[in-house]
Amino acid sequence: MQHGPAVRRRKLGAELRALRTSAGLTSGEAARLVGWHQSKVSRIETGTSGVKPADVRLLLDAYGVTDSQLRELLMMLAGSDESGGRHHWWHAYRGVLPPTYRDFISLESQAGAMRTLETSVVPGLLQTPEYARAVTRAAVEGLPEDRLDTLVEVRLARQDVLRADPPLQLSAVLDEAVLRREVGGPGVMARQLERLVEAARLPQVRLQVLPFTAGAHIGVTGPFVIFSFSSTSDLDVVVLDHLTSSLYLERKEDLQAYTEAFNALQIHALSPEDSLDFIAGTAAGA
């Protein structure tokens, strides 16, 4: 388990090492091609040191990598702003957002798909402004109003990934408690449920409700997020949120375990069609 920056360095290094090997080059040969010492290539590949986007571009050119999606993703992992229509807008909030949150947004902005289990609150990508404000205020007590405004603004800006071209593919399993917990009062909750109904009808969103009648399930241990990238599964990562930080799991065993857990949750949850009816019925009775 690692924090976000370490995960990204290691994933970037591992991918660059695989590309070098595919190109039939030793680390020494690669270093000579780009005019570096061999030790620099080794440090980059092991993730022990950061790498500039310009250096990644040099290596990709040296390895003959022409896949534009893969190049863009690896450049993103190195911190490049050359990410198509999804520029690193969150850099403007560097003084407000903790590093782990910035890393989460970075992964979210470049992922092709996101699978999430939520047991307490509506996923951030589907929250209304009023709901987001109520959740943020409850999560961080004594937050000054201006900072609260900023965090809500960031939460709403994140939702642009669902309107991007191509959009993020979001699959979410919501415990029934998410729908029943009255956040922000009856009016706020009613509007939030209506928003979920709207979102459930979007082609890029798959919502499923895990009703109380399903009993105990594998998700009782807590919520999680799985990010998947269209260019390569080697960059997939699981994110676990804690009160003061986030943990990133990258081992294949962890990814397999959480993927199997999510698949099991989808089987036990209501179908997307029945979930839509369930949410609409909850909204009507709110």
Side-chain angles (χ1 to χ4, degrees):
M1 292 185 292
Q2 299 285 341
H3 291 290
V7 167
R8 290 196 299 172
R9 285 199 305 270
R10 288 177 58 182
K11 286 185 175 293
L12 175 58
E15 188 64 20
L16 289 172
R17 181 171 61 250
L19 291 171
R20 172 179 59 76
T21 301
S22 296
L25 298 170
T26 66
S27 58
E29 290 169 339
R32 285 193 291 275
L33 280 175
V34 295
W36 299 344
H37 290 294
Q38 186 271 340
S39 59
K40 180 174 180 178
V41 174
S42 296
R43 289 196 304 272
I44 291 172
E45 291 184 352
T46 56
T48 55
S49 67
V51 55
K52 297 177 180 178
D55 290 342
V56 172
R57 188 183 298 109
L58 281 176
L59 291 174
L60 295 177
D61 289 343
Y63 302 159
V65 178
T66 58
D67 184 324
S68 59
Q69 282 191 319
L70 180 58
R71 288 179 67 99
E72 179 180 312
L73 180 56
L74 296 180
M75 293 290 289
M76 178 277 295
L77 289 176
S80 172
D81 285 327
E82 299 174 14
S83 51
R86 303 181 185 179
H87 295 295
H88 292 185
W89 55 266
W90 57 92
H91 284 179
Y93 301 93
R94 185 177 295 272
V96 178
L97 306 180
T100 52
Y101 191 18
R102 295 201 304 269
D103 279 305
F104 183 91
I105 297 173
S106 175
L107 291 170
E108 184 179 71
S109 72
Q110 289 297 325
M114 174 180 172
R115 288 165 286 176
T116 181
L117 165 68
E118 289 292 349
T119 58
S120 298
V121 297
V122 171
L125 294 182
L126 303 177
Q127 292 178 4
T128 65
E130 298 83 6
Y131 186 98
R133 177 174 292 275
V135 167
T136 305
R137 180 180 281 119
V140 189
E141 292 186 1
L143 200 62
E145 201 66 21
D146 58 342
R147 181 156 182 166
L148 176 61
D149 290 342
T150 299
L151 291 176
V152 172
E153 183 179 311
V154 169
R155 181 70 56 91
L156 299 179
R158 283 173 47 200
Q159 298 177 3
D160 284 345
V161 295
L162 294 175
R163 297 182 287 270
D165 184 18
L168 176 75
Q169 299 297 310
L170 174 64
S171 295
V173 173
L174 310 182
D175 191 277
E176 185 177 341
V178 173
L179 309 180
R180 301 294 183 188
R181 178 169 288 103
E182 192 175 278
V183 174
V188 170
M189 199 63 204
R191 286 188 291 275
Q192 178 60 71
L193 292 174
E194 291 172 2
R195 167 68 180 126
L196 284 179
V197 169
E198 295 171 2
R201 295 194 175 106
L202 296 174
Q204 65 269 39
V205 176
R206 178 187 175 94
L207 285 186
Q208 290 182 257
V209 174
L210 195 62
F212 290 148
T213 54
H217 54 78
I218 197 168
V220 295
T221 54
F224 60 85
V225 173
I226 307 172
F227 285 121
S228 299
F229 297 87
S230 55
S231 297
T232 172
S233 62
D234 290 340
L235 296 173
D236 293 357
V237 63
V238 176
V239 185
L240 306 178
D241 262 343
H242 296 275
L243 182 61
T244 58
S245 64
S246 298
L247 291 177
Y248 294 70
L249 284 64
E250 58 174 328
R251 296 187 311 162
K252 290 187 183 297
E253 305 94 296
D254 294 324
L255 287 164
Q256 180 177 350
Y258 277 89
T259 296
E260 291 175 354
F262 190 81
N263 292 341
L265 289 166
Q266 286 188 308
I267 292 172
H268 289 95
L270 300 176
S271 69
E273 295 75 20
D274 289 342
S275 294
L276 177 56
D277 292 340
F278 191 96
I279 297 170
T282 305

